Amino acid sequence: MRITVTVDGTQYTDDVEPRLLLVHYLRDRLGKVGTVVGCDTSNCGACTVLLDDRSVKSCSVLAVQADGHSVTTVEGLAENGNLHPVQEAFREKHALQCGFCTPGMIMATIDLLSENSDPSDEDVRHGLEGNLCRCTGYQNIVAAARDAAQRLRENPAATEEAAR
Amino acid sequence: MTSTVDPTTDEGVGESELGRARRRKEDEHLITGRTRWTDNIVLPGMLHAAILRSPVAHARITGLDVSEARGKPGVVAVYTGADLAEEQGSLPCAWPITEDMKTPNAPALAVDTVRFAGEAVAVVVARSPYEAHDALDSIDVDYEDLPVVLDLETAARDGDLVHPDLGTNVSATWVFDSAEAGSGGDVEDAIRDAEVIVERTFRQQRLIPAFMEPRSVVVDPTASQITMWSATQVPHVLKLMLAMTLGLPEHKLRVIAPDVGGGFGGKLQVTPEEVLTLLIARRLHKPVKYTETRSESMLAAHHGRDQVQKLTLAARRDGTVTGLKVELLADMGAYLRLVTPGVPILGAFMFNGIYKFGSYRFACTNVFTNKVPTDAYRGAGRPEATFAIERIMDELAVELSMDPLELREKNWIEHEEFPFDTVAGLTYDSGNYEAATAKARELFDYDELRREQAERRERNDPVQLGLGVSTFTEMCGLAPSRVLGSLSYGAGGWEHAAIRMLPTGKVEVVTGSSAHGQGHETAWSQIVADRLGIPFDDIEILHGDTQSSPRGLDTYGSRSLAVGGIAVVKAAEKVVAKARPIAAHLLECSEDDLDFEAGQFRVKGTAKSVGLTDVALAVFAAHDLPDGVEPNLDSEATYDPDNFSFPHGTHLCAIEVDTETGHARIRKYVCVDDVGHVVNPLIVEGQVHGGLAQGIAQALYEEAVHDESGTLLSSSFAEYLLPTAVDLPPFVTDRTDTPAPGNPLGVKGVGEAGTIASTPAVVNAVLDAVRPFGVTDVEMPCTPMRIWHALRDARGGTK
Ligand code: FES
Ligand code: FES
């Protein structure tokens, strides 16, 4: 099947097998290897990307379902070397160790913050429940999400961008 | 140095790089997705392997037909165990703990018998991973079931056998007796003379390390050297073991661990998958990639823990402990992997915990079962030991109606008594249990919580409060080579570092300690910046590639900083020593007149100086050097520690248990860890958090469960419950700082502390909550179901 997808601002047209998962399309066909696969049961969230600005687990979406839509991956966040506020917050708060869950965590956090610009710790914990991290114990991820929320509130331009 | 880190500032203590909460160097690429996971690697002409795994736990393979699979679209080759039998050898076990240890042949690909569900039976190689996986379906295997050996106690009785050729399921029995070793008295005497005896049997459930990045390996055999990329913790060990066991020339092999997404001991291995990918790539003369699925990872990557611990604790009525006897059954699984037999032995030295009782006996029986092999998992042996002693100390406290903290204080080694020779034959380097405990107690508000607990008990509140104490020490910084030698481990415990002084003033640091999330690049840069006065950003850390860092023993057992970091310090000292005569020559003074500080050689009492980086440039030009001096400042060091280091701490957990539903919720978790001096408090705190998550998960959530036929029921994240952000509480962490006397940085190690200490703290808290109902034990994980059952049983089944 022929699909046309905009990924991180670039439009791609490709022939894909109907069963090809979006995450494999991104990784194996487009070389967007920043998005990773951590499980085969849609439980870990490592593969989370934004599909038309809403977070999805790209291992549970077929590439053909993305036809005509836009996808943002972790590789599409930093612009001209400027980190996205959520990326900045993750670095500041030491919200990653091995970093394998991180792209998914960052994308899920962006979606969470687009829904709730001032989440409590509890809100963040619930909002990120679908993303597993084996390294951090989540505490610094929660801190990073709240720090990012503050950055985004203080800098609405970045909010715009995050909602892009 | 002891306050909780404020990560919003780059400031640490004073001007020093050491102790400073530096943001990590490695984060930039990880948060932008410019990562180099093994599965990202694509090579020209690369093929993909998929593995057919046994669905049954024990069977003879009576038929294996791969002909149809060979004809499937995209399939290049299919291999069976018979195809590779000649060349695959046996997967290595590097730790023959006794001379008569039974070591079964452990093929990477099963030849005629499978011994655990998940064992590799055939390999398909195809042009794409989808095609490789498709073809697995058309492989026909006939299994003739054999009796399945699962339960440890039954297995130890040698009815049905996992390896009939060995004639027993017992791999080895290993004993430490303090009377024989001369480190203490005879425990049977202590038990005979005891005023109080507490006997308990604890079960360490099987855990799955569950690193987030599935294992992956790529082998490129097309150049003169074979290159293997692997998501491994141990590239150096892997290279050596592949060379030794497959008969490959060592110099023709290069192993690279690129970005590695977590390990926790689970990637401390020479895996069947690595061996198979290598053999296949070599046969096909093409690059081959194998990446496991999560379900395969759960089935086939090794598991951790899995012990039955029988303890007898002898004490006097006043609370003085006099002896401990430990009888252990440890599940090896179906084969012995790299350090499988040694894991319980690592625990043998820690069952005495922080206490100074006088007699100790430990006997461990290693047993085969039809399950995936066990091996190192975060803490390896020490969490099991710490759990046992901290749980039974609580039982003694209950028996004597003493406060658990008071009981510990009565028995622990006092600050002035260090260094302290323990009953288990170790010398604890330093410690201050009093300080850590006092601080934890205060942060926790122990007395107030005890008051609340009493009130809730008083009014029969359906939600009871339990307080759990865990004091611990661990031996980390594995390990003095002579100690490993005395324990029959196959290698040493040194670590290597090299420093390359580049002409432009930049520095490359080579470390044999290969990271997978610990932040080596940041911490090592801080150490070199401190020792050489070179700016943090001018330092690059090279690791995880046996070509660029040819010597090393990798990362496990919290050895990175306490061994690898010290090697970096030693290499830095050599750089300065080499630079000194050259600086003296350039400054036209005697070497004795030179001070070195903050990167500058300065002539004492004058303003004359030359920077180390200027010396590096002068050495590169080599126009004007003292006679006979080699134009080279590069230095290397191999550091072998004299002793382990012994971090310690006090962890306190408050848990609310709903006695009607059995649900347990952590209300407060406080820990004060003492890991000696700290290079980067941000990293240390992160390690503690992550460790706590894993230890708490053992207490409350995680367990590898098999059905009676040996099928792993918890074979995905849907059934094996890693804690999510919702399941874990916020942690209150703090530190005390008792430096390690044995190394120039005074550092100890932190990677395993949180995991070791937290499991007993949580379980002790659960029991403290339900004890008034007559509950004396709850097996791990303490799920609502288990707690509820325990309550029901204690109430006489009336509820
Ligand atoms: S890989 Fe998509 S949820 Fe795990
Ligand atoms: S940082 Fe390693 S899994 Fe989250």
Side-chain angles (χ1 to χ4, degrees):
Chain A
M1 282 182 73
R2 175 155 300 223
I3 60 169
T4 299
V5 190
T6 302
V7 180
D8 296 335
T10 303
Q11 190 173 312
Y12 299 85
T13 300
D14 279 295
D15 285 319
V16 299
E17 271 190 79
R19 64 169 174 165
L20 183 70
L21 296 173
L22 178 58
V23 67
H24 290 141
Y25 174 66
L26 293 171
R27 286 179 54 81
D28 302 340
R29 297 290 289 276
L30 305 188
K32 291 273 177 187
V33 291
T35 303
V36 294
V37 181
C39 73
D40 39 49
T41 47
S42 303
N43 288 103
C44 76
C47 63
T48 306
V49 299
L50 302 182
L51 181 64
D52 291 341
D53 301 330
R54 293 315 308 267
S55 67
V56 295
K57 292 179 174 174
S58 62
C59 73
S60 59
V61 175
L62 296 169
V64 294
Q65 291 175 283
D67 185 27
H69 296 277
S70 87
V71 174
T72 309
T73 79
V74 69
E75 293 173 64
L77 294 179
E79 286 201 328
N80 312 321
N82 294 324
L83 295 177
H84 187 282
V86 174
Q87 290 173 312
E88 270 174 14
F90 267 65
R91 188 175 57 183
E92 274 304 305
K93 297 295 184 189
H94 186 35
L96 60 149
Q97 288 180 34
C98 79
F100 196 78
C101 71
T102 308
M105 282 289 180
I106 288 175
M107 303 317 284
T109 303
I110 289 174
D111 189 29
L112 167 78
L113 298 181
S114 73
E115 290 271 283
N116 181 352
S117 62
D118 189 10
S120 65
D121 279 10
E122 209 59 0
D123 295 337
V124 173
R125 286 183 185 271
H126 280 282
L128 296 179
E129 200 179 3
N131 290 66
L132 296 173
C133 174
R134 192 57 155 169
C135 299
T136 63
Y138 302 105
Q139 181 145 329
N140 288 351
I141 292 176
V142 174
R146 296 198 58 187
D147 180 60
Q150 191 182 344
R151 285 164 194 266
L152 286 162
R153 287 197 307 276
E154 284 165 7
N155 181 358
T159 315
E160 286 290 290
E161 204 171 289
R164 178 175 51 92
Chain B
M1 270 293 264
T2 57
S3 64
T4 299
V5 183
D6 174 9
T8 59
T9 149
D10 252 339
E11 300 315 309
V13 286
E15 297 292 297
S16 172
E17 274 294 339
L18 300 182
R20 181 169 176 174
R22 279 273 192 194
R23 297 303 154 290
R24 293 201 319 173
K25 281 189 169 180
E26 31 285 88
D27 291 353
E28 178 90 21
H29 81 282
L30 295 170
I31 56 179
T32 51
R34 288 183 286 107
T35 38
R36 298 161 315 228
W37 311 112
T38 302
D39 190 44
N40 294 0
I41 289 165
V42 177
L43 298 172
M46 188 174 80
L47 300 170
H48 298 265
I51 294 178
L52 184 75
R53 297 184 179 279
S54 169
V56 293
H58 197 191
R60 215 180 326 277
I61 302 172
T62 51
L64 178 52
D65 183 358
V66 298
S67 52
E68 196 187 331
R70 286 204 167 108
K72 285 286 170 187
V75 171
V76 175
V78 183
Y79 297 101
T80 66
D83 296 329
L84 300 180
E86 298 283 279
E87 61 202 90
Q88 69 173 335
S90 181
L91 289 160
C93 171
W95 205 333
I97 53 168
T98 60
E99 267 171 30
D100 60 351
M101 183 177 84
K102 300 270 190 297
T103 308
N105 185 49
L109 200 55
V111 178
D112 47 25
T113 306
V114 290
R115 292 191 174 81
F116 66 91
E119 189 168 354
V121 171
V123 185
V124 173
V125 189
R127 285 183 322 221
S128 80
Y130 276 58
E131 287 168 325
H133 279 277
D134 283 349
L136 293 182
D137 291 339
S138 43
I139 297 177
D140 244 344
V141 196
D142 296 323
Y143 294 104
E144 185 189 305
D145 284 342
L146 294 168
V148 177
V149 180
L150 294 175
D151 176 67
L152 257 185
E153 275 133 327
T154 321
R157 287 196 289 271
D158 281 342
D160 296 323
L161 297 178
V162 177
H163 299 279
D165 56 319
L166 299 180
T168 172
N169 287 324
V170 173
S171 173
T173 300
W174 192 94
V175 177
F176 176 90
D177 189 306
S178 63
E180 281 164 27
S183 58
D186 187 312
V187 81
E188 299 299 343
D189 291 347
I191 292 169
R192 201 188 45 241
D193 298 342
E195 292 169 6
V196 187
I197 292 174
V198 184
E199 283 180 286
R200 284 288 184 279
T201 300
F202 299 126
R203 193 174 139 273
Q204 290 282 327
Q205 80 268 36
R206 204 170 241 262
L207 297 181
I208 303 183
F211 34 75
M212 288 310 294
E213 179 207 19
R215 296 174 306 163
S216 179
V217 54
V218 175
V219 177
D220 181 1
T222 59
S224 79
Q225 269 190 328
I226 296 177
T227 303
M228 172 185 283
W229 290 261
S230 182
T232 180
Q233 291 172 233
V234 289
H236 297 92
V237 173
L238 179 58
K239 171 181 159 159
L240 177 65
M241 286 289 128
L242 289 172
M244 286 171 71
T245 58
L246 297 178
L248 288 169
E250 194 182 344
H251 62 299
K252 291 292 183 190
L253 192 58
R254 172 185 182 187
V255 176
I256 302 173
D259 284 333
V260 176
F264 318 110
K267 289 175 180 166
L268 199 180
Q269 206 45 268
V270 178
T271 68
E273 292 78 8
E274 286 159 332
V275 169
L276 290 175
T277 309
L278 174 62
L279 293 178
I280 289 163
R282 206 170 51 156
R283 276 209 180 182
L284 295 170
H285 304 292
K286 290 253 173 51
V288 176
K289 179 193 284 184
Y290 168 79
T291 299
E292 69 185 359
T293 64
R294 175 57 55 183
S295 309
E296 287 183 282
S297 188
M298 306 293 250
L299 282 170
H302 73 250
H303 294 171
R305 313 282 192 261
D306 211 344
Q307 299 179 353
V308 176
Q309 313 168 308
K310 196 164 162 253
L311 277 78
T312 310
L313 187 73
R316 287 201 290 267
R317 278 262 146 233
D318 69 356
T320 310
V321 177
T322 53
L324 175 69
K325 185 165 84 168
V326 180
E327 291 166 273
L328 211 73
L329 285 178
D331 192 344
M332 305 285 98
Y335 302 101
L336 302 180
R337 297 290 195 236
L338 201 60
V339 300
T340 304
V343 170
I345 311 307
L346 287 172
F349 301 100
M350 299 313 300
F351 272 89
N352 53 306
I354 64 168
Y355 311 112
K356 55 186 176 191
F357 51 78
S359 62
Y360 172 56
R361 183 183 157 87
F362 169 95
C364 171
T365 307
N366 286 353
V367 180
F368 295 114
T369 60
N370 289 116
K371 285 176 262 175
V372 72
T374 54
D375 202 296
Y377 172 53
R378 204 165 186 170
R382 286 94 77 199
E384 296 92 318
T386 304
F387 178 86
I389 184 68
E390 287 304 291
R391 275 287 296 113
I392 205 161
M393 286 300 277
D394 260 34
E395 295 301 313
L396 177 63
V398 169
E399 182 76 30
L400 300 174
S401 303
M402 272 178 88
D403 178 89
L405 278 172
E406 195 189 319
L407 178 69
R408 283 165 173 81
E409 190 171 346
K410 184 152 194 89
N411 287 287
W412 71 34
I413 302 156
E414 280 156 42
H415 181 52
E416 303 74 49
E417 295 177 277
F418 288 94
F420 185 88
D421 294 334
T422 75
V423 74
L426 295 177
T427 302
Y428 287 178
D429 59 351
S430 65
N432 189 340
Y433 309 143
E434 296 90 333
T437 305
K439 193 174 226 178
R441 197 183 168 113
E442 191 187 319
L443 282 168
F444 190 67
D445 216 348
Y446 187 79
D447 297 330
E448 177 52 38
L449 284 166
R450 280 278 179 227
R451 255 194 299 280
E452 182 187 332
Q453 176 184 50
E455 272 168 30
R456 280 183 190 249
R457 284 183 181 172
E458 183 72 18
R459 65 168 188 264
N460 267 330
D461 196 319
V463 178
Q464 288 290 319
L465 183 65
L467 307 188
V469 175
S470 163
T471 46
F472 84 105
T473 186
E474 64 147 327
M475 55 171 191
C476 75
L478 299 175
S481 296
R482 66 183 160 76
V483 174
L484 290 174
S486 73
L487 294 173
S488 314
Y489 179 63
W494 47 263
E495 194 49 87
H496 176 260
I499 295 182
R500 307 207 283 244
M501 301 297 296
L502 305 179
T504 56
K506 313 292 182 195
V507 176
E508 287 173 344
V509 179
V510 175
T511 173
S513 180
S514 173
H516 39 285
Q518 295 90 342
H520 288 25
E521 291 174 28
T522 306
W524 278 214
S525 296
Q526 288 179 266
I527 292 170
V528 173
D530 176 77
R531 285 303 201 256
L532 297 184
I534 307 273
F536 177 79
D537 288 326
D538 288 349
I539 300 162
E540 186 71 15
I541 310 297
L542 307 177
H543 62 93
D545 179 343
T546 62
Q547 194 165 76
S548 62
S549 58
R551 277 167 60 75
L553 286 170
D554 307 314
T555 291
Y556 49 87
S558 291
R559 67 190 306 276
S560 291
L561 182 58
V563 188
I566 304 307
V568 173
V569 171
K570 302 277 181 199
E573 284 167 0
K574 288 187 182 175
V575 168
V576 175
K578 278 175 101 170
R580 186 176 290 275
I582 301 165
H585 177 76
L586 294 173
L587 293 167
E588 297 175 329
C589 68
S590 127
E591 279 183 56
D592 298 339
D593 290 340
L594 283 181
D595 280 335
F596 179 74
E597 218 197 305
Q600 297 287 320
F601 288 100
R602 195 174 302 280
V603 184
K604 283 178 189 153
T606 76
K608 273 176 50 177
S609 71
V610 62
L612 179 61
T613 56
D614 298 322
V615 177
L617 184 61
V619 162
F620 171 75
H623 296 161
D624 178 24
L625 298 179
D627 289 343
V629 163
E630 184 190 358
N632 180 1
L633 287 185
D634 297 354
S635 296
E636 56 181 320
T638 303
Y639 172 70
D640 197 345
D642 290 336
N643 191 2
F644 299 92
S645 66
F646 297 88
H648 67 84
T650 298
H651 289 220
L652 295 171
C653 175
I655 210 158
E656 286 177 358
V657 176
D658 186 328
T659 57
E660 280 161 7
T661 65
H663 188 264
R665 186 187 72 91
I666 295 179
R667 178 160 124 199
K668 190 168 190 180
Y669 197 98
V670 168
C671 64
V672 175
D673 285 288
D674 193 323
V675 296
H677 285 337
V678 160
V679 171
N680 185 324
L682 201 60
I683 292 176
V684 164
E685 197 175 356
Q687 285 279 330
V688 171
H689 289 171
L692 293 177
Q694 275 173 313
I696 291 171
Q698 173 168 18
L700 295 180
Y701 304 112
E702 294 183 23
E703 179 172 31
V705 183
H706 296 81
D707 69 12
E708 66 283 0
S709 67
T711 305
L712 180 68
L713 299 177
S714 47
S715 63
S716 80
F717 286 152
E719 300 95 12
Y720 188 84
L721 300 181
L722 297 195
T724 70
V726 173
D727 299 316
L728 293 173
F731 309 120
V732 179
T733 62
D734 209 332
R735 296 197 309 274
T736 52
D737 181 358
T738 311
N743 70 61
L745 292 180
V747 296
K748 290 192 166 179
V750 67
E752 294 154 316
T755 307
I756 291 172
S758 56
T759 314
V762 174
V763 177
N764 278 340
V766 168
L767 282 161
D768 190 47
V770 296
R771 215 179 283 274
F773 302 87
V775 177
T776 53
D777 201 10
V778 180
E779 267 190 13
M780 292 189 290
C782 302
T783 57
M785 190 64 118
R786 281 218 173 96
I787 295 174
W788 186 85
H789 276 290
L791 281 163
R792 186 198 55 186
D793 294 349
R795 286 159 166 163
T798 53
K799 184 149 180 68

